[in-house]
Amino acid sequence: MLLKINFESDIPIYVQIKNQVIHGIALGTLKPGEILPSVRQLASDIGINMHTVNKSYSLLKSEGYIVVDRRKGATVLPIRTTSDPIFKEEMTEELTTLIASSICKGLNEEEFIELSKNIFKDFSSK
């Protein structure tokens, strides 16, 4: 698993790890059943604290992207075929804030939708 961590970013490292794993799953570069590096190994590879990786894995587990087994480690779960109501509710909250921010920054509805379509295409075409 190849991660690109930006140590200069305002985005916390644990969030960067979490987001890149989610992107990998959506793109198909991380397959269902694939075992992720151990917390210790990934922390060593990146040169960060193990607690940072552990926090990422804990979030990925709680959000249903991976399962963690003490013997096997963290394993990628299959992509769901339907979304659950709780996820839709959380996504609505996140999108509401994102759209409000977009409006405040001068992005109109058509531009927002076009950006969204292009990003979705990037994930769907892989």
Short mmCIF file of all heavy atoms in Angstrom, two decimals, residues 27-86:
data_model
loop_
_atom_site.label_atom_id
_atom_site.label_comp_id
_atom_site.label_asym_id
_atom_site.label_seq_id
_atom_site.Cartn_x
_atom_site.Cartn_y
_atom_site.Cartn_z
N LEU A 27 -11.25 3.02 -5.62
CA LEU A 27 -10.59 2.85 -6.92
C LEU A 27 -10.32 1.39 -7.27
O LEU A 27 -10.00 1.06 -8.40
CB LEU A 27 -9.27 3.62 -6.95
CG LEU A 27 -9.39 5.14 -6.97
CD1 LEU A 27 -8.04 5.78 -6.70
CD2 LEU A 27 -9.95 5.61 -8.31
N GLY A 28 -10.40 0.51 -6.28
CA GLY A 28 -10.13 -0.90 -6.51
C GLY A 28 -8.67 -1.28 -6.36
O GLY A 28 -8.30 -2.41 -6.63
N THR A 29 -7.82 -0.34 -5.97
CA THR A 29 -6.41 -0.68 -5.74
C THR A 29 -6.24 -1.44 -4.43
O THR A 29 -5.26 -2.15 -4.27
CB THR A 29 -5.51 0.58 -5.76
OG1 THR A 29 -6.00 1.51 -4.80
CG2 THR A 29 -5.48 1.21 -7.13
N LEU A 30 -7.19 -1.27 -3.53
CA LEU A 30 -7.26 -2.10 -2.32
C LEU A 30 -8.48 -3.00 -2.48
O LEU A 30 -9.60 -2.52 -2.56
CB LEU A 30 -7.38 -1.24 -1.06
CG LEU A 30 -6.15 -0.45 -0.65
CD1 LEU A 30 -6.47 0.49 0.52
CD2 LEU A 30 -5.01 -1.38 -0.27
N LYS A 31 -8.23 -4.29 -2.57
CA LYS A 31 -9.29 -5.27 -2.85
C LYS A 31 -9.91 -5.81 -1.56
O LYS A 31 -9.23 -5.89 -0.53
CB LYS A 31 -8.70 -6.44 -3.63
CG LYS A 31 -7.95 -6.05 -4.89
CD LYS A 31 -8.88 -5.70 -6.00
CE LYS A 31 -8.11 -5.47 -7.29
NZ LYS A 31 -8.63 -4.42 -8.07
N PRO A 32 -11.17 -6.21 -1.64
CA PRO A 32 -11.78 -6.87 -0.48
C PRO A 32 -10.95 -8.07 -0.05
O PRO A 32 -10.49 -8.85 -0.89
CB PRO A 32 -13.15 -7.31 -1.00
CG PRO A 32 -13.43 -6.37 -2.13
CD PRO A 32 -12.10 -6.07 -2.74
N GLY A 33 -10.72 -8.18 1.24
CA GLY A 33 -9.93 -9.28 1.78
C GLY A 33 -8.44 -8.98 1.87
O GLY A 33 -7.68 -9.72 2.49
N GLU A 34 -8.01 -7.90 1.23
CA GLU A 34 -6.59 -7.53 1.28
C GLU A 34 -6.22 -7.09 2.69
O GLU A 34 -6.96 -6.36 3.34
CB GLU A 34 -6.31 -6.40 0.29
CG GLU A 34 -4.85 -6.07 0.16
CD GLU A 34 -4.56 -5.12 -1.00
OE1 GLU A 34 -5.38 -5.03 -1.95
OE2 GLU A 34 -3.50 -4.49 -0.96
N ILE A 35 -5.07 -7.55 3.13
CA ILE A 35 -4.60 -7.22 4.47
C ILE A 35 -3.73 -5.97 4.39
O ILE A 35 -2.78 -5.91 3.60
CB ILE A 35 -3.83 -8.40 5.09
CG1 ILE A 35 -4.77 -9.60 5.23
CG2 ILE A 35 -3.24 -8.01 6.44
CD1 ILE A 35 -4.09 -10.88 5.66
N LEU A 36 -4.08 -4.99 5.20
CA LEU A 36 -3.30 -3.75 5.27
C LEU A 36 -2.05 -3.97 6.11
O LEU A 36 -2.00 -4.90 6.92
CB LEU A 36 -4.15 -2.63 5.88
CG LEU A 36 -5.44 -2.26 5.15
CD1 LEU A 36 -6.18 -1.17 5.92
CD2 LEU A 36 -5.15 -1.82 3.74
N PRO A 37 -1.06 -3.13 5.94
CA PRO A 37 0.15 -3.25 6.78
C PRO A 37 -0.22 -3.14 8.26
O PRO A 37 -1.19 -2.46 8.61
CB PRO A 37 1.01 -2.07 6.36
CG PRO A 37 0.49 -1.64 5.04
CD PRO A 37 -0.95 -2.02 5.00
N SER A 38 0.55 -3.79 9.10
CA SER A 38 0.30 -3.68 10.54
C SER A 38 0.50 -2.23 10.96
O SER A 38 1.17 -1.44 10.27
CB SER A 38 1.25 -4.58 11.31
OG SER A 38 2.57 -4.07 11.24
N VAL A 39 -0.09 -1.88 12.09
CA VAL A 39 0.06 -0.53 12.63
C VAL A 39 1.54 -0.20 12.78
O VAL A 39 2.00 0.86 12.36
CB VAL A 39 -0.68 -0.41 13.98
CG1 VAL A 39 -0.33 0.89 14.69
CG2 VAL A 39 -2.19 -0.53 13.77
N ARG A 40 2.28 -1.13 13.34
CA ARG A 40 3.71 -0.92 13.57
C ARG A 40 4.46 -0.74 12.25
O ARG A 40 5.30 0.15 12.10
CB ARG A 40 4.29 -2.11 14.35
CG ARG A 40 5.74 -1.96 14.73
CD ARG A 40 6.25 -3.19 15.48
NE ARG A 40 5.40 -3.62 16.57
CZ ARG A 40 5.50 -3.16 17.84
NH1 ARG A 40 6.41 -2.27 18.13
NH2 ARG A 40 4.70 -3.61 18.76
N GLN A 41 4.15 -1.58 11.25
CA GLN A 41 4.84 -1.51 9.96
C GLN A 41 4.54 -0.21 9.23
O GLN A 41 5.46 0.45 8.72
CB GLN A 41 4.45 -2.71 9.08
CG GLN A 41 5.18 -2.74 7.74
CD GLN A 41 6.69 -2.88 7.90
OE1 GLN A 41 7.15 -3.78 8.58
NE2 GLN A 41 7.45 -1.98 7.30
N LEU A 42 3.27 0.18 9.19
CA LEU A 42 2.91 1.40 8.48
C LEU A 42 3.51 2.63 9.16
O LEU A 42 4.03 3.52 8.50
CB LEU A 42 1.39 1.54 8.37
CG LEU A 42 0.88 2.68 7.50
CD1 LEU A 42 1.46 2.62 6.09
CD2 LEU A 42 -0.64 2.67 7.44
N ALA A 43 3.48 2.64 10.48
CA ALA A 43 4.08 3.75 11.22
C ALA A 43 5.57 3.84 10.93
O ALA A 43 6.10 4.93 10.70
CB ALA A 43 3.84 3.58 12.72
N SER A 44 6.24 2.70 10.88
CA SER A 44 7.66 2.67 10.59
C SER A 44 7.94 3.13 9.15
O SER A 44 8.86 3.92 8.92
CB SER A 44 8.20 1.26 10.80
OG SER A 44 9.53 1.16 10.40
N ASP A 45 7.13 2.66 8.20
CA ASP A 45 7.31 3.02 6.79
C ASP A 45 7.17 4.53 6.57
O ASP A 45 7.89 5.12 5.78
CB ASP A 45 6.30 2.29 5.91
CG ASP A 45 6.58 0.80 5.79
OD1 ASP A 45 7.66 0.35 6.23
OD2 ASP A 45 5.70 0.08 5.27
N ILE A 46 6.18 5.12 7.25
CA ILE A 46 5.91 6.54 7.06
C ILE A 46 6.81 7.40 7.97
O ILE A 46 7.09 8.55 7.65
CB ILE A 46 4.42 6.85 7.34
CG1 ILE A 46 3.52 6.09 6.37
CG2 ILE A 46 4.14 8.34 7.24
CD1 ILE A 46 2.05 6.19 6.68
N GLY A 47 7.23 6.81 9.08
CA GLY A 47 8.03 7.57 10.04
C GLY A 47 7.19 8.38 10.99
O GLY A 47 7.50 9.53 11.30
N ILE A 48 6.08 7.76 11.43
CA ILE A 48 5.18 8.45 12.36
C ILE A 48 4.91 7.57 13.57
O ILE A 48 5.32 6.41 13.62
CB ILE A 48 3.84 8.81 11.67
CG1 ILE A 48 3.13 7.54 11.16
CG2 ILE A 48 4.06 9.81 10.55
CD1 ILE A 48 1.74 7.79 10.62
N ASN A 49 4.20 8.13 14.53
CA ASN A 49 3.85 7.42 15.75
C ASN A 49 2.80 6.33 15.46
O ASN A 49 1.88 6.55 14.66
CB ASN A 49 3.30 8.43 16.76
CG ASN A 49 3.12 7.86 18.14
OD1 ASN A 49 2.30 6.98 18.34
ND2 ASN A 49 3.89 8.36 19.08
N MET A 50 2.93 5.20 16.12
CA MET A 50 1.97 4.10 15.94
C MET A 50 0.55 4.51 16.31
O MET A 50 -0.41 4.03 15.72
CB MET A 50 2.38 2.89 16.79
CG MET A 50 3.57 2.17 16.27
SD MET A 50 4.06 0.65 17.16
CE MET A 50 2.95 0.50 18.51
N HIS A 51 0.41 5.41 17.29
CA HIS A 51 -0.93 5.83 17.71
C HIS A 51 -1.67 6.57 16.59
O HIS A 51 -2.90 6.50 16.50
CB HIS A 51 -0.85 6.72 18.95
CG HIS A 51 -0.31 6.00 20.15
ND1 HIS A 51 -0.98 4.96 20.75
CD2 HIS A 51 0.85 6.16 20.82
CE1 HIS A 51 -0.26 4.51 21.76
NE2 HIS A 51 0.86 5.21 21.83
N THR A 52 -0.92 7.24 15.72
CA THR A 52 -1.52 7.94 14.58
C THR A 52 -2.13 6.92 13.62
O THR A 52 -3.27 7.09 13.17
CB THR A 52 -0.45 8.80 13.86
OG1 THR A 52 0.12 9.70 14.80
CG2 THR A 52 -1.05 9.56 12.70
N VAL A 53 -1.40 5.88 13.30
CA VAL A 53 -1.92 4.83 12.40
C VAL A 53 -3.08 4.11 13.08
O VAL A 53 -4.11 3.85 12.45
CB VAL A 53 -0.81 3.82 12.03
CG1 VAL A 53 -1.38 2.69 11.17
CG2 VAL A 53 0.33 4.52 11.31
N ASN A 54 -2.95 3.84 14.35
CA ASN A 54 -4.01 3.16 15.10
C ASN A 54 -5.30 3.97 15.06
O ASN A 54 -6.39 3.41 14.90
CB ASN A 54 -3.57 2.90 16.53
CG ASN A 54 -4.43 1.88 17.20
OD1 ASN A 54 -4.78 0.86 16.62
ND2 ASN A 54 -4.79 2.15 18.45
N LYS A 55 -5.19 5.29 15.17
CA LYS A 55 -6.37 6.14 15.11
C LYS A 55 -7.03 6.04 13.74
O LYS A 55 -8.25 5.96 13.63
CB LYS A 55 -5.98 7.60 15.42
CG LYS A 55 -7.15 8.53 15.56
CD LYS A 55 -6.70 9.88 16.10
CE LYS A 55 -7.89 10.77 16.38
NZ LYS A 55 -7.49 12.05 16.98
N SER A 56 -6.23 6.03 12.67
CA SER A 56 -6.76 5.88 11.32
C SER A 56 -7.50 4.56 11.17
O SER A 56 -8.62 4.51 10.65
CB SER A 56 -5.63 5.92 10.28
OG SER A 56 -4.97 7.14 10.32
N TYR A 57 -6.86 3.49 11.59
CA TYR A 57 -7.46 2.16 11.48
C TYR A 57 -8.74 2.06 12.31
O TYR A 57 -9.72 1.45 11.89
CB TYR A 57 -6.47 1.08 11.88
CG TYR A 57 -5.44 0.73 10.82
CD1 TYR A 57 -5.22 1.51 9.70
CD2 TYR A 57 -4.66 -0.41 10.95
CE1 TYR A 57 -4.27 1.18 8.73
CE2 TYR A 57 -3.70 -0.76 9.99
CZ TYR A 57 -3.52 0.04 8.88
OH TYR A 57 -2.59 -0.30 7.94
N SER A 58 -8.74 2.68 13.48
CA SER A 58 -9.94 2.65 14.33
C SER A 58 -11.10 3.36 13.64
O SER A 58 -12.24 2.88 13.67
CB SER A 58 -9.67 3.31 15.68
OG SER A 58 -8.77 2.54 16.42
N LEU A 59 -10.82 4.49 13.02
CA LEU A 59 -11.87 5.21 12.29
C LEU A 59 -12.36 4.40 11.09
O LEU A 59 -13.57 4.32 10.84
CB LEU A 59 -11.36 6.58 11.84
CG LEU A 59 -11.20 7.63 12.92
CD1 LEU A 59 -10.48 8.86 12.37
CD2 LEU A 59 -12.55 8.03 13.50
N LEU A 60 -11.43 3.82 10.35
CA LEU A 60 -11.81 2.99 9.20
C LEU A 60 -12.67 1.81 9.64
O LEU A 60 -13.64 1.45 8.96
CB LEU A 60 -10.56 2.50 8.46
CG LEU A 60 -9.81 3.56 7.66
CD1 LEU A 60 -8.39 3.09 7.34
CD2 LEU A 60 -10.57 3.93 6.40
N LYS A 61 -12.34 1.24 10.77
CA LYS A 61 -13.12 0.12 11.30
C LYS A 61 -14.51 0.59 11.72
O LYS A 61 -15.52 -0.03 11.34
CB LYS A 61 -12.40 -0.50 12.50
CG LYS A 61 -13.17 -1.63 13.14
CD LYS A 61 -12.47 -2.15 14.37
CE LYS A 61 -13.36 -3.17 15.08
NZ LYS A 61 -12.83 -3.51 16.40
N SER A 62 -14.59 1.69 12.46
CA SER A 62 -15.89 2.16 12.94
C SER A 62 -16.79 2.63 11.80
O SER A 62 -18.01 2.58 11.92
CB SER A 62 -15.70 3.28 13.97
OG SER A 62 -15.24 4.45 13.36
N GLU A 63 -16.18 3.05 10.69
CA GLU A 63 -16.97 3.49 9.54
C GLU A 63 -17.26 2.36 8.56
O GLU A 63 -17.89 2.57 7.53
CB GLU A 63 -16.25 4.65 8.84
CG GLU A 63 -16.17 5.90 9.70
CD GLU A 63 -15.38 7.03 9.07
OE1 GLU A 63 -15.07 6.96 7.85
OE2 GLU A 63 -15.06 7.99 9.79
N GLY A 64 -16.79 1.14 8.86
CA GLY A 64 -17.14 -0.03 8.06
C GLY A 64 -16.31 -0.28 6.82
O GLY A 64 -16.76 -0.96 5.91
N TYR A 65 -15.08 0.26 6.78
CA TYR A 65 -14.21 0.02 5.63
C TYR A 65 -13.27 -1.17 5.82
O TYR A 65 -12.86 -1.78 4.85
CB TYR A 65 -13.37 1.27 5.32
CG TYR A 65 -14.21 2.45 4.91
CD1 TYR A 65 -14.50 3.47 5.80
CD2 TYR A 65 -14.74 2.53 3.62
CE1 TYR A 65 -15.29 4.55 5.42
CE2 TYR A 65 -15.54 3.60 3.24
CZ TYR A 65 -15.80 4.60 4.14
OH TYR A 65 -16.58 5.67 3.78
N ILE A 66 -12.92 -1.43 7.06
CA ILE A 66 -12.02 -2.54 7.36
C ILE A 66 -12.54 -3.29 8.58
O ILE A 66 -13.39 -2.80 9.32
CB ILE A 66 -10.56 -2.07 7.64
CG1 ILE A 66 -10.50 -1.20 8.91
CG2 ILE A 66 -9.99 -1.36 6.43
CD1 ILE A 66 -9.08 -0.86 9.36
N VAL A 67 -12.01 -4.48 8.75
CA VAL A 67 -12.24 -5.26 9.96
C VAL A 67 -10.86 -5.54 10.54
O VAL A 67 -9.90 -5.74 9.80
CB VAL A 67 -13.04 -6.56 9.67
CG1 VAL A 67 -12.27 -7.49 8.77
CG2 VAL A 67 -13.44 -7.24 10.96
N VAL A 68 -10.78 -5.51 11.86
CA VAL A 68 -9.49 -5.73 12.51
C VAL A 68 -9.56 -7.01 13.34
O VAL A 68 -10.45 -7.18 14.16
CB VAL A 68 -9.10 -4.53 13.41
CG1 VAL A 68 -7.78 -4.80 14.11
CG2 VAL A 68 -9.02 -3.25 12.59
N ASP A 69 -8.63 -7.90 13.06
CA ASP A 69 -8.52 -9.17 13.78
C ASP A 69 -7.13 -9.19 14.43
O ASP A 69 -6.15 -8.85 13.78
CB ASP A 69 -8.66 -10.33 12.78
CG ASP A 69 -8.57 -11.68 13.45
OD1 ASP A 69 -7.45 -12.07 13.83
OD2 ASP A 69 -9.61 -12.35 13.58
N ARG A 70 -7.06 -9.59 15.67
CA ARG A 70 -5.77 -9.59 16.38
C ARG A 70 -4.73 -10.48 15.71
O ARG A 70 -3.55 -10.20 15.78
CB ARG A 70 -5.96 -10.04 17.82
CG ARG A 70 -6.66 -9.02 18.65
CD ARG A 70 -6.79 -9.49 20.07
NE ARG A 70 -7.59 -8.53 20.81
CZ ARG A 70 -7.32 -8.14 22.01
NH1 ARG A 70 -6.30 -8.65 22.66
NH2 ARG A 70 -8.08 -7.26 22.61
N ARG A 71 -5.18 -11.53 15.07
CA ARG A 71 -4.23 -12.46 14.43
C ARG A 71 -3.87 -12.04 13.01
O ARG A 71 -2.73 -12.11 12.61
CB ARG A 71 -4.80 -13.88 14.42
CG ARG A 71 -4.92 -14.47 15.84
CD ARG A 71 -5.77 -15.68 15.85
NE ARG A 71 -7.16 -15.20 15.66
CZ ARG A 71 -8.16 -15.92 15.24
NH1 ARG A 71 -7.99 -17.17 14.94
NH2 ARG A 71 -9.37 -15.41 15.12
N LYS A 72 -4.89 -11.62 12.23
CA LYS A 72 -4.65 -11.30 10.82
C LYS A 72 -4.33 -9.83 10.58
O LYS A 72 -3.75 -9.48 9.57
CB LYS A 72 -5.88 -11.66 9.99
CG LYS A 72 -6.06 -13.15 9.79
CD LYS A 72 -6.97 -13.41 8.62
CE LYS A 72 -8.40 -13.55 9.05
NZ LYS A 72 -9.31 -13.89 7.96
N GLY A 73 -4.75 -8.97 11.47
CA GLY A 73 -4.56 -7.54 11.28
C GLY A 73 -5.78 -6.90 10.64
O GLY A 73 -6.89 -7.40 10.73
N ALA A 74 -5.56 -5.78 9.97
CA ALA A 74 -6.64 -5.03 9.33
C ALA A 74 -6.87 -5.53 7.92
O ALA A 74 -5.95 -5.63 7.12
CB ALA A 74 -6.29 -3.54 9.31
N THR A 75 -8.12 -5.88 7.62
CA THR A 75 -8.50 -6.43 6.33
C THR A 75 -9.58 -5.57 5.69
O THR A 75 -10.53 -5.17 6.36
CB THR A 75 -9.03 -7.88 6.49
OG1 THR A 75 -8.06 -8.65 7.21
CG2 THR A 75 -9.31 -8.53 5.16
N VAL A 76 -9.45 -5.32 4.39
CA VAL A 76 -10.41 -4.51 3.65
C VAL A 76 -11.72 -5.27 3.50
O VAL A 76 -11.73 -6.45 3.13
CB VAL A 76 -9.85 -4.14 2.25
CG1 VAL A 76 -10.88 -3.40 1.42
CG2 VAL A 76 -8.56 -3.34 2.39
N LEU A 77 -12.82 -4.58 3.79
CA LEU A 77 -14.15 -5.17 3.61
C LEU A 77 -14.65 -4.90 2.19
O LEU A 77 -14.22 -3.94 1.54
CB LEU A 77 -15.13 -4.55 4.62
CG LEU A 77 -14.92 -4.96 6.08
CD1 LEU A 77 -15.83 -4.15 7.00
CD2 LEU A 77 -15.19 -6.45 6.26
N PRO A 78 -15.58 -5.74 1.71
CA PRO A 78 -16.15 -5.50 0.37
C PRO A 78 -16.92 -4.18 0.33
O PRO A 78 -17.46 -3.73 1.34
CB PRO A 78 -17.10 -6.68 0.17
CG PRO A 78 -16.71 -7.69 1.19
CD PRO A 78 -16.09 -6.95 2.32
N ILE A 79 -16.99 -3.58 -0.86
CA ILE A 79 -17.80 -2.38 -1.05
C ILE A 79 -19.26 -2.79 -0.94
O ILE A 79 -19.69 -3.79 -1.52
CB ILE A 79 -17.51 -1.73 -2.42
CG1 ILE A 79 -16.09 -1.19 -2.43
CG2 ILE A 79 -18.53 -0.64 -2.74
CD1 ILE A 79 -15.66 -0.59 -3.76
N ARG A 80 -20.02 -2.01 -0.22
CA ARG A 80 -21.45 -2.31 -0.05
C ARG A 80 -22.20 -2.03 -1.35
O ARG A 80 -21.84 -1.15 -2.12
CB ARG A 80 -22.03 -1.43 1.05
CG ARG A 80 -21.43 -1.72 2.39
CD ARG A 80 -22.02 -0.82 3.43
NE ARG A 80 -21.33 -1.03 4.69
CZ ARG A 80 -21.34 -0.17 5.67
NH1 ARG A 80 -22.00 0.95 5.56
NH2 ARG A 80 -20.70 -0.43 6.79
N THR A 81 -23.26 -2.80 -1.55
CA THR A 81 -24.08 -2.59 -2.75
C THR A 81 -25.18 -1.57 -2.50
O THR A 81 -25.73 -1.03 -3.45
CB THR A 81 -24.68 -3.92 -3.23
OG1 THR A 81 -25.41 -4.51 -2.15
CG2 THR A 81 -23.59 -4.87 -3.70
N THR A 82 -25.54 -1.34 -1.25
CA THR A 82 -26.52 -0.32 -0.90
C THR A 82 -26.00 0.45 0.31
O THR A 82 -25.28 -0.09 1.14
CB THR A 82 -27.90 -0.93 -0.54
OG1 THR A 82 -27.74 -1.83 0.57
CG2 THR A 82 -28.52 -1.65 -1.71
N SER A 83 -26.38 1.73 0.39
CA SER A 83 -25.94 2.53 1.53
C SER A 83 -27.01 2.48 2.61
O SER A 83 -28.20 2.34 2.34
CB SER A 83 -25.66 3.96 1.11
OG SER A 83 -26.82 4.57 0.61
N ASP A 84 -26.56 2.62 3.85
CA ASP A 84 -27.51 2.58 4.95
C ASP A 84 -28.02 3.98 5.26
O ASP A 84 -27.40 4.98 4.91
CB ASP A 84 -26.89 1.90 6.18
CG ASP A 84 -25.67 2.64 6.70
OD1 ASP A 84 -25.75 3.86 6.88
OD2 ASP A 84 -24.64 1.98 6.95
N PRO A 85 -29.16 4.08 5.92
CA PRO A 85 -29.77 5.38 6.21
C PRO A 85 -28.89 6.28 7.08
O PRO A 85 -28.87 7.49 6.89
CB PRO A 85 -31.06 5.02 6.95
CG PRO A 85 -31.31 3.59 6.70
CD PRO A 85 -30.00 2.97 6.35
N ILE A 86 -28.13 5.70 7.99
CA ILE A 86 -27.26 6.50 8.85
C ILE A 86 -26.18 7.15 8.01
O ILE A 86 -25.87 8.34 8.18
CB ILE A 86 -26.66 5.64 9.98
CG1 ILE A 86 -27.77 5.18 10.92
CG2 ILE A 86 -25.59 6.41 10.74
CD1 ILE A 86 -27.33 4.15 11.94
#
